[in-house]
Amino acid sequence: MPGLPLGKHQERALDYIANNIAGLVEYGTGTGKTRIIVEAAMMMIAGGEMPILILVPNSVLEQTYEQFVEWSGAKWAGRHVAVLDSRYDIYRRREAL
């Protein structure tokens, strides 16, 4: 994976995600939550768990996708990430998936 190594809090969060079926990862602004989401998604998809639904506010939708590209690589993100926002009607969503 490109970029910096994970922080200890991120490693703990990923361990929690890997060992629980539900939960909440809550950290402050700028602490690497999106990196945790990217790493968790990659881990789950590598393990055969699909599909994965990730919901983010519209205000950070573009930023979240850009960080998926940054942390997972453009090829992986292009293959595994579909961005569905409020501009998509049900037919366009179906086509995107």
Side-chain angles (χ1 to χ4, degrees), residues 1 6 9-21 23-25 32-54 67-68 71-72 76 80-81:
M1 244 122 313
L6 294 170
H9 68 291
Q10 291 169 312
E11 290 174 358
R12 283 191 306 271
L14 287 169
D15 185 54
Y16 181 86
I17 291 166
N19 292 297
N20 293 277
I21 61 170
L24 172 68
V25 176
K33 295 179 299 296
T34 305
R35 174 84 186 273
I36 294 167
I37 293 169
V38 172
E39 297 287 341
M42 292 175 67
M43 175 179 62
M44 289 179 209
I45 289 172
E49 297 181 39
M50 287 196 0
I52 300 167
L53 176 63
I54 300 169
Q67 289 184 347
F68 260 90
W71 294 113
S72 68
W76 190 95
H80 296 289
V81 178

Side-chain angles (χ1 to χ4, degrees), residues 28-89:
T29 303
T31 58
K33 295 179 299 296
T34 305
R35 174 84 186 273
I36 294 167
I37 293 169
V38 172
E39 297 287 341
M42 292 175 67
M43 175 179 62
M44 289 179 209
I45 289 172
E49 297 181 39
M50 287 196 0
I52 300 167
L53 176 63
I54 300 169
L55 303 172
V56 299
N58 284 342
S59 61
V60 296
L61 190 59
E62 187 174 318
Q63 171 186 334
T64 301
Y65 181 76
E66 289 170 357
Q67 289 184 347
F68 260 90
V69 171
E70 178 182 347
W71 294 113
S72 68
K75 184 177 179 181
W76 190 95
R79 183 172 182 201
H80 296 289
V81 178
V83 177
L84 306 176
D85 63 25
S86 60
R87 295 173 292 185
Y88 279 65
D89 61 27

